[in-house]
């Protein structure tokens, strides 16, 4: 048992109940992945400070204008809007895009590795190492501010190592939650739980934006310290599985978590962990993984470039500062919270994960078009359209990476083998993360020519994402018309 659990039971002088364990798991994993995303979001806010080439306008404050003090020490004389070499030149936007793709490419490759390792070791230790490592390298990026570092390769290497440690998070937290919760209302529960992604983005935006005026290094260092602190709490309190802490559900819990077909049959010693290629052959894994490639391409382009886009686009004829743009971009993530919950709830009610995901992706196409075309008219309209876009872009992304991954990781073809969930989650999200790397990279180059072209790319990606699920959608719709043939989402995915 984790040390913190032992202390709680010593003080209470009785074992913790099964439901209490479930609550602890949800809370700890929620804040753990919130911290992962908060550190990831800081990069998008800092971008505007490193490369402040916003179009000139009378509404732009003198603080935001690109000025270069005469002092040779850029750190001591740095003010918001001065830029930071080597990102303040003509190729600054492209260099920032290369940092994104380096981070996300290593993150995607690391995801495959992390899923393989996660099914074979103590996830509490694995997550703790990942979170502390993420905090270290996030903070080291900020150290470049105080150490007056202007070498591009320093930031590139630090970002790549941060991406490697970030990859430990998602397969691990999904596997831990999967160990404790059954299939009933999985989409709704995981949809609400997955709000950590959007809330983490919001937290990262607000914290990084607030600290930006003191120097962009603080916007990286403080979130880095934050995730390290949460990692220590996770080490002290996270129960990985019922077997690991000797927890047994009572009759009511059995009705909720096991009698109605358990998510996992937790006797890992009975079977070997599922191999990488074997996991790819599980029905439904490949189409959902490829769908997520394009869905995350769209979502992560917004994650990494939305504050930059807002600060470089006039709204009501005015340009916003980096801090204001970062704060405004949180509306996209507010919509993402709603979208994740809505997609999970709808997929539970109709019993059709693929149909829900594809429908959301198709709806994202007009949402993207209207945001690009009419978001500049007024601040109110910008916020409304951003919220709507967040709902339809993040909804399927949240659904696929949570409930769908859990469905497929416990597919009946595995015959009860519990040691596949982290691997399947890693395959799906790892493939999606390659798309997440491609989107921001292309945006770094395309945006220099036209933001309209960027949005056209995003709309095309949303269309392809939906089309990749066509076969599964057809199978689900046939199952909906023949209730006797429908035994849950796993049957449909055959």
């Amino acid at each position: 048992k984790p040390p913190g659990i032992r202390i709680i039971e010593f003080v209470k002088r009785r074992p913790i109940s099964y439901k209490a364990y479930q609550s602890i798991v949800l809370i700890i994993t929620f804040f753990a992945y919130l911290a992962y995303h908060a550190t990831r979001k800081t990069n998008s806010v800092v971008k505007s400070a490193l490369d402040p080439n916003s179009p000139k306008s009378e509404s732009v404050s003198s603080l935001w204008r690109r000025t270069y003090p005469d002092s040779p020490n850029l750190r001591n004389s740095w003010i918001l809007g001065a830029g930071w070499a080597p990102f303040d030149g003509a190729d600054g936007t492209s260099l920032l895009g290369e940092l994104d793709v380096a981070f996300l490419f290593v993150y995607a490759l690391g995801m495959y590795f992390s899923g393989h390792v996660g099914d074979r070791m103590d996830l509490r230790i694995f997550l703790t190492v990942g979170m502390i490592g993420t905090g270290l390298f996030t903070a080291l990026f900020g150290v470049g501010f105080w150490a007056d570092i202007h070498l591009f390769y320093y930031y590139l290497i630090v970002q790549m190592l941060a991406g490697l440690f970030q990859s430990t998070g998602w397969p691990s937290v999904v596997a831990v939650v999967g160990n404790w919760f059954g299939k009933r209302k999985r989409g709704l529960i995981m949809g609400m739980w997955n709000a950590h992604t959007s809330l983490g983005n919001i937290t990262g935006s607000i914290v990084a934006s607030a600290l930006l005026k003191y120097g962009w290094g603080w916007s990286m260092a403080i979130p880095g310290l934050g995730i390290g602190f949460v990692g220590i709490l996770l080490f002290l309190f996270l129960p990985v599985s019922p077997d690991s802490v000797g927890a047994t559900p009572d009759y009511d819990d059995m009705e909720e978590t096991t009698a109605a077909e358990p998510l996992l049959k937790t006797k890992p010693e009975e079977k070997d962990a599922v191999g990488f290629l074997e996991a790819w052959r599980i029905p439904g894994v490949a189409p959902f993984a490829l769908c997520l490639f394009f869905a995350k391409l769209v979502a992560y382009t917004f994650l990494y470039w939305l504050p930059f886009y807002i600060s470089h686009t006039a709204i009501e004829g005015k340009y916003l500062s980096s801090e204001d743009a970062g704060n405004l971009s949180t509306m996209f993530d507010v919509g993402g919270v709603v979208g994740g919950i809505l997609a999970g709830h709808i997929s539970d009610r109709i019993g059709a994960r693929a149909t829900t995901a594809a429908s959301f992706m198709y709806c994202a196409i007009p949402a993207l078009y209207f945001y690009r075309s009419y978001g500049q008219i007024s601040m109110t309209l910008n916020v409304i359209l951003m919220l709507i876009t967040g709902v339809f872009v993040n909804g399927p992304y949240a659904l696929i990476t949570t409930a769908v991954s859990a469905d497929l990781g416990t597919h009946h073809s595995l015959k009860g083998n519990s040691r596949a969930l982290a691997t399947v989650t890693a395959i799906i999200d790892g493939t999606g993360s390659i798309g997440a790397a491609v989107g921001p990279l292309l945006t770094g180059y395309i945006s220099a020519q036209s933001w309209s072209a960027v949005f056209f790319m995003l709309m095309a990606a949303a269309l392809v994402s939906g089309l990749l699920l066509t076969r599964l959608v057809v199978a689900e719709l046939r199952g909906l018309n023949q209730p006797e043939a429908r035994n849950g989402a796993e049957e449909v995915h055959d």
Side-chain angles (χ1 to χ4, degrees), residues 17 29 54 83 93 119 136 144 161 195-196 213 230 236 274 315 323 398 403 441 449 460 473:
S17 69
T29 54
S54 295
T93 305
D119 279 327
L136 172 64
L161 291 172
H196 52 49
K213 56 181 173 287
V230 176
L236 293 174
V274 173
I315 302 175
E323 181 177 355
L441 175 66
Q449 306 299 321
V473 169

Side-chain angles (χ1 to χ4, degrees), residues 67-74 77:
T67 58
Y68 291 93
D70 295 331
S71 169
N73 191 326
L74 294 178
S77 61

Side-chain angles (χ1 to χ4, degrees), residues 168-249:
T168 61
W170 189 242
S172 302
V173 295
V174 172
V176 172
V177 172
N179 286 336
W180 285 95
F181 291 89
K183 295 185 63 178
R184 185 176 298 177
K185 297 183 179 179
R186 181 188 294 169
L188 178 60
I189 290 174
M190 285 193 152
M192 293 187 292
W193 174 74
N194 194 64
H196 52 49
T197 298
S198 296
L199 291 178
N201 293 340
I202 293 170
T203 302
S205 294
I206 293 174
V207 171
S209 297
L211 294 172
L212 205 55
K213 56 181 173 287
Y214 301 109
W216 61 264
W218 291 105
S219 298
M220 302 296 294
I222 297 302
L225 293 174
I227 190 174
F229 175 74
V230 176
I232 293 173
L233 293 179
L234 181 144
F235 174 79
L236 293 174
F237 292 99
L238 181 66
V240 172
S241 68
D243 283 351
S244 69
V245 292
T248 304

Side-chain angles (χ1 to χ4, degrees), residues 299-370:
Y300 269 65
T301 297
F302 273 86
L303 173 67
Y304 278 93
W305 286 100
L306 184 56
F308 189 89
Y309 169 74
I310 292 172
S311 67
H312 288 66
T313 304
I315 302 175
E316 297 182 7
K318 300 178 181 179
Y319 292 96
L320 300 181
S321 69
S322 178
E323 181 177 355
D324 292 337
N327 290 329
L328 179 60
S329 70
T330 61
M331 291 298 102
F332 177 81
D333 294 299
V334 172
V337 173
V338 177
I341 296 173
L342 189 62
H345 178 63
I346 292 173
S347 69
D348 279 343
R349 292 294 299 272
I350 67 175
R353 309 284 196 212
T355 302
T356 304
S359 299
F360 270 64
M361 291 311 303
Y362 292 140
C363 290
I365 298 172
L368 289 164
Y369 173 79
F370 286 120

Side-chain angles (χ1 to χ4, degrees), residues 420-439:
L421 187 50
T423 300
V424 169
T425 302
I427 286 174
I428 292 175
D429 202 43
T431 304
S433 296
I434 297 175
V438 171

Side-chain angles (χ1 to χ4, degrees), residues 210-469:
L211 294 172
L212 205 55
K213 56 181 173 287
Y214 301 109
W216 61 264
W218 291 105
S219 298
M220 302 296 294
I222 297 302
L225 293 174
I227 190 174
F229 175 74
V230 176
I232 293 173
L233 293 179
L234 181 144
F235 174 79
L236 293 174
F237 292 99
L238 181 66
V240 172
S241 68
D243 283 351
S244 69
V245 292
T248 304
D250 58 26
Y251 179 77
D252 291 334
D253 294 327
M254 288 288 291
E255 288 295 314
E256 289 185 20
T257 62
T258 56
E261 189 177 352
L263 177 57
L264 294 178
K265 298 176 182 178
T266 54
K267 292 186 179 180
E269 70 278 4
E270 292 183 357
K271 297 187 178 182
D272 295 330
V274 173
F276 182 79
L277 294 178
E278 183 182 354
W280 266 106
R281 289 193 290 267
I282 296 173
V285 167
F288 272 113
L290 294 174
C291 168
L292 192 62
F293 175 96
F294 292 97
K296 286 192 77 167
L297 185 154
V298 180
Y300 269 65
T301 297
F302 273 86
L303 173 67
Y304 278 93
W305 286 100
L306 184 56
F308 189 89
Y309 169 74
I310 292 172
S311 67
H312 288 66
T313 304
I315 302 175
E316 297 182 7
K318 300 178 181 179
Y319 292 96
L320 300 181
S321 69
S322 178
E323 181 177 355
D324 292 337
N327 290 329
L328 179 60
S329 70
T330 61
M331 291 298 102
F332 177 81
D333 294 299
V334 172
V337 173
V338 177
I341 296 173
L342 189 62
H345 178 63
I346 292 173
S347 69
D348 279 343
R349 292 294 299 272
I350 67 175
R353 309 284 196 212
T355 302
T356 304
S359 299
F360 270 64
M361 291 311 303
Y362 292 140
C363 290
I365 298 172
L368 289 164
Y369 173 79
F370 286 120
Y371 179 68
R372 171 56 183 168
S373 301
Y374 303 105
Q376 303 94 322
I377 295 177
S378 71
M379 184 64 70
T380 301
L381 191 58
N382 188 286
V383 169
I384 293 173
L385 293 175
M386 194 188 305
L387 283 168
I388 295 172
T389 304
V391 169
F392 291 116
V393 169
N394 278 353
Y397 162 39
L399 179 65
I400 293 171
T401 55
T402 54
V404 169
S405 295
D407 287 348
L408 297 175
T410 55
H411 194 271
H412 60 77
S413 66
L414 296 172
K415 299 178 181 178
N417 191 346
S418 67
R419 303 185 67 186
L421 187 50
T423 300
V424 169
T425 302
I427 286 174
I428 292 175
D429 202 43
T431 304
S433 296
I434 297 175
V438 171
L441 175 66
L442 294 177
T443 300
Y445 291 100
I446 298 174
S447 64
Q449 306 299 321
S450 169
W451 277 105
S452 294
V454 171
F455 276 81
F456 178 80
M457 173 190 74
L458 298 180
M459 288 186 283
L463 176 62
V464 174
S465 181
L467 291 175
L468 284 167
L469 295 179

